[in-house]
Amino acid sequence: MKATPGLPGEFALIARYFAPLAAGFPGAYGLLDDAAAIAPAPGHELIVKTDAIVGGVDFPVNEPGDLVARKALRVNLSDLAAKGAVPRAYMVDLMLPDTVEEAWIAAFAAGLAQDQSEYGVHLIGGDMSGTPGPVTIAVMALGEAPAGRIIRRAGARAGDAVFVTGTIGDAALGLRTLQGALPGLDGASAALLVDRYRLPRPRVTLGPQLIGIATAALDVSDGLVADLRHLCEVSNLAAVIRAPRVPLSPAARAAIAVDPALLEIVLTGGDDYEILFTAADTAADKLAELSRSFSVPITPIGHMAPPPERNQAPVAVLDEAGQELGLTSEGWTHFGRAPQ
Amino acid sequence: MKATPGLPGEFALIARYFAPLAAGFPGAYGLLDDAAAIAPAPGHELIVKTDAIVGGVDFPVNEPGDLVARKALRVNLSDLAAKGAVPRAYMVDLMLPDTVEEAWIAAFAAGLAQDQSEYGVHLIGGDMSGTPGPVTIAVMALGEAPAGRIIRRAGARAGDAVFVTGTIGDAALGLRTLQGALPGLDGASAALLVDRYRLPRPRVTLGPQLIGIATAALDVSDGLVADLRHLCEVSNLAAVIRAPRVPLSPAARAAIAVDPALLEIVLTGGDDYEILFTAADTAADKLAELSRSFSVPITPIGHMAPPPERNQAPVAVLDEAGQELGLTSEGWTHFGRAPQ
């Protein structure tokens, strides 16, 4: 038994900080039961996703509790959004080393509360445990979508346009900024990029609107090129995108102006939590309207192409002159080597 | 990026070991998508539960992968069973230190495969991540039950009998055996107790049969006395149980014969994963029939009583003479001190 000096017991912590987050969701039973009950609306199915984040791997070890909580939740909501699901509830497993103080847990719960208001979700279950390792958080998010209508990764057609929401590369540049690797960047740009790394903005309201328009979709978490490759592989197609069309924030443009080599980080760095999707060219008007209604940039960056030849990479990234960029890495992967 | 020498990449590991576990569940999309889709049968709702286990806290750090996997899954299935839910699917987040070898992961997946056959569940999602800490596994289990019919913790009535399935205390004694704290015990008994600690036997087939019979239920994970206290608290009642009626395995009896003080470990030690439930005395015949049909012992151990007086503990454990046992601890808790 790991007793943590200074912390109240597990049940007191749940009652104090987490049970209030279950209020308003009857099937959560106030977190006083062993499990929660949830049913999709008629004609809908539940869409479920889990993603865990680890201190020192996915977020800095000294990160405040509220930001850690919101990042853990949001990376999961981002996947639901990319599938067109409306988020409804989530569960959290929280593994804490004995160095964590109650104030950190209070901040963690406050971060969840803030995002519950923002995204209309409720905490319906979870687990707390001690760990000799770093703070580790596993979130399971539950959303709903019309039955059989979620936007799959498979489903793209040759000739479909490739779109991406928002801007790409900010989070990856933000991580490099935190690591001190972008010393020449102005302070305002640096702050914007770091903020994008620390706090993803999942496209929760836009995502469900893409049902019936997008032929395939996923969220950009491993990196634009790697995630487009995932989409190509399951759709059995290739893709050609044009680097100059990839939407960049002014801060990312400033960083690339200082060091043009950062373009590769932008294209492959990951943690964007934007939606990458394919749709017919004819959907462009409808997408422009959605972009205006939801104040989310939606940018065409290329096209899907017939299946790649043997030994041909499925994703080609072209520069302004139409020449293929040679990228040394395609994106984040845990374990082993990132594929070339 | 934590590269783990010798391990294939994350996606290769998923394709090799985990995607096969999703076969047969269409909404899992072969683990090739960002999320899974699941809908309850008509008239049913989904029952969801998450519990995480941490190396060095919930299982020994050198435990084989298959046992770790099965324990992680089973502790969750146990909660579903105690609610009367039929398990259908689960997701797994697997956090691995870089000392883990591929053979361990292969064993982990093989353990899941074995339990999928045993319990009729499918893997429908998950996440793999590196960690500087110990092996950490978060499981989210999804089951289904007739809408509004799950067996809650709240719902017991004064006068209801208190029942427990199987035998109590084996796992807690098994842990002490592993720790070398039961040196006088015979080898066969020691092996049985250790096995009960390492591999819970959730009452998955019996649990759903208790809907309509049990007035309240939960699984015994924190310890018999602590879990009965949880049930008392949410039902706003007290309970009186008789220690001599608590069902013990021959191995537990052998251990207590060597050291009678171990009775307290049995009553408070936890990790039993049996179902503790309340029901009217008149349900005894029906329960005896279920016990025979499912080959699961179901033993009455006491009764629910009116709400406790102020300053009175909600659970009284009586000895053979009807005297209250003075227990120094009520059961496992993470953080802080176990309540007296």
Side-chain angles (χ1 to χ4, degrees):
Chain A
M1 187 179 305
K2 275 182 58 70
T4 300
L7 274 193
E10 176 185 2
F11 302 113
L13 289 170
I14 292 169
R16 194 173 301 168
Y17 296 110
F18 296 102
L21 300 175
F25 197 101
Y29 306 123
L31 305 188
L32 287 171
D33 219 305
D34 304 75
I38 181 169
H44 288 62
E45 58 193 350
L46 288 177
I47 310 303
V48 296
K49 166 68 187 182
T50 181
D51 218 342
I53 63 174
V54 178
V57 178
D58 301 297
F59 61 90
V61 287
N62 57 351
E63 193 78 341
D66 57 334
L67 280 178
V68 173
R70 298 169 81 191
K71 180 159 191 171
L73 178 57
R74 288 174 178 216
V75 300
N76 282 280
L77 297 184
S78 178
D79 284 294
L80 294 187
K83 302 291 98 181
V86 174
R88 289 192 51 200
Y90 65 102
M91 304 198 285
V92 176
D93 292 335
L94 186 51
M95 277 65 80
L96 297 176
D98 60 12
T99 50
V100 166
E101 293 175 2
E102 188 173 350
W104 193 93
I105 297 172
F108 184 89
L112 292 179
Q114 195 173 345
D115 274 6
Q116 290 199 178
S117 302
E118 187 153 347
Y119 297 111
V121 292
H122 290 89
L123 179 65
I124 64 170
D127 184 30
M128 294 185 74
S129 176
T131 178
V135 171
T136 301
I137 297 130
V139 169
M140 296 113 257
L142 303 103
E144 69 180 26
R149 299 295 305 280
I150 69 163
I151 309 164
R152 302 280 313 282
R153 287 187 179 188
R157 297 161 306 197
D160 278 351
V162 177
F163 295 88
V164 71
T165 62
T167 57
I168 293 294
D170 299 323
L173 295 174
L175 174 58
R176 268 55 172 198
T177 304
L178 280 178
Q179 293 167 338
L182 273 65
L185 189 61
D186 67 282
S189 295
L192 272 163
L193 297 175
V194 167
D195 176 66
R196 280 291 305 262
Y197 170 70
R198 296 172 94 180
L199 194 59
R201 268 72 170 183
R203 299 300 186 180
V204 167
T205 51
L206 178 69
Q209 305 296 324
L210 296 177
I211 288 183
I213 300 174
T215 52
L218 77 177
D219 79 327
V220 185
S221 54
D222 293 335
L224 181 69
V225 175
D227 284 312
L228 183 53
R229 180 168 50 79
H230 298 325
L231 193 153
C232 285
E233 284 167 357
V234 294
S235 294
N236 193 29
L237 292 173
V240 180
I241 63 171
R242 293 177 182 272
R245 292 196 193 161
V246 173
L248 303 182
S249 68
R253 288 189 193 283
I256 291 171
V258 174
D259 178 3
L262 291 174
L263 178 63
E264 177 158 342
I265 301 292
V266 165
L267 296 172
T268 63
D271 273 333
D272 295 295
Y273 302 106
E274 298 291 352
I275 304 178
L276 177 69
F277 66 96
T278 57
D281 276 323
T282 53
D285 287 352
K286 217 181 280 180
L287 288 169
E289 195 187 312
L290 282 177
S291 173
R292 280 191 300 274
S293 308
F294 289 86
S295 299
V296 176
I298 299 177
T299 309
I301 59 171
H303 278 88
M304 300 302 292
E309 304 287 323
R310 230 189 112 147
N311 298 327
Q312 185 196 344
V315 178
V317 184
L318 308 185
D319 66 12
E320 278 178 40
Q323 296 297 307
E324 191 165 346
L325 290 176
L327 301 173
T328 55
S329 157
E330 281 193 356
W332 171 278
T333 178
H334 278 287
F335 316 119
R337 289 181 159 281
Q340 295 297 311
Chain B
M1 188 178 306
K2 276 183 58 69
T4 299
L7 274 193
E10 176 185 2
F11 302 114
L13 288 171
I14 291 169
R16 193 172 303 168
Y17 297 110
F18 297 102
L21 301 175
F25 196 100
Y29 306 123
L31 305 187
L32 288 171
D33 219 305
D34 304 76
I38 180 169
H44 288 61
E45 57 192 351
L46 289 176
I47 310 304
V48 296
K49 166 68 187 183
T50 182
D51 218 343
I53 63 174
V54 178
V57 178
D58 301 298
F59 61 90
V61 288
N62 58 350
E63 194 77 342
D66 57 334
L67 280 178
V68 173
R70 298 170 81 192
K71 180 160 191 170
L73 178 57
R74 289 175 178 215
V75 299
N76 282 279
L77 298 184
S78 178
D79 284 295
L80 294 186
K83 303 290 98 181
V86 175
R88 289 191 50 199
Y90 66 101
M91 304 198 286
V92 176
D93 293 336
L94 185 52
M95 277 66 80
L96 297 176
D98 60 12
T99 50
V100 166
E101 293 175 2
E102 188 173 350
W104 192 93
I105 298 173
F108 184 89
L112 293 179
Q114 195 174 343
D115 274 6
Q116 290 200 177
S117 302
E118 186 153 348
Y119 297 111
V121 293
H122 290 89
L123 180 66
I124 65 170
D127 184 31
M128 293 185 75
S129 177
T131 178
V135 171
T136 300
I137 297 131
V139 169
M140 175 200 191
L142 303 101
E144 71 181 25
R149 297 295 306 280
I150 69 162
I151 309 164
R152 302 279 313 282
R153 287 188 178 186
R157 298 162 306 197
D160 278 352
V162 176
F163 296 88
V164 71
T165 62
T167 57
I168 293 295
D170 298 323
L173 295 175
L175 175 59
R176 267 55 171 199
T177 305
L178 280 177
Q179 293 166 339
L182 273 64
L185 189 61
D186 67 282
S189 296
L192 272 164
L193 296 174
V194 167
D195 176 65
R196 280 290 306 262
Y197 170 71
R198 296 172 94 179
L199 194 59
R201 268 72 171 183
R203 299 300 185 182
V204 167
T205 51
L206 179 69
Q209 305 296 326
L210 296 178
I211 288 182
I213 300 173
T215 52
L218 78 177
D219 78 327
V220 185
S221 54
D222 293 335
L224 181 68
V225 175
D227 285 312
L228 183 52
R229 180 167 51 79
H230 299 326
L231 192 154
C232 285
E233 284 166 357
V234 295
S235 295
N236 193 29
L237 291 173
V240 180
I241 62 172
R242 293 177 182 272
R245 292 196 192 161
V246 173
L248 303 182
S249 68
R253 288 190 192 282
I256 291 172
V258 174
D259 178 3
L262 291 174
L263 177 63
E264 177 159 343
I265 301 293
V266 165
L267 296 172
T268 64
D271 273 334
D272 295 295
Y273 302 106
E274 298 290 353
I275 303 178
L276 176 69
F277 66 98
T278 58
D281 276 322
T282 53
D285 287 353
K286 216 180 280 178
L287 289 169
E289 196 186 312
L290 283 177
S291 172
R292 279 191 301 274
S293 308
F294 289 87
S295 300
V296 176
I298 300 177
T299 309
I301 59 171
H303 278 88
M304 299 302 291
E309 304 287 322
R310 233 190 110 154
N311 299 326
Q312 185 197 343
V315 178
V317 184
L318 308 186
D319 66 12
E320 278 180 38
Q323 296 296 308
E324 190 165 347
L325 290 177
L327 302 172
T328 56
S329 156
E330 281 194 353
W332 172 278
T333 178
H334 279 288
F335 317 120
R337 290 181 159 281
Q340 295 299 311

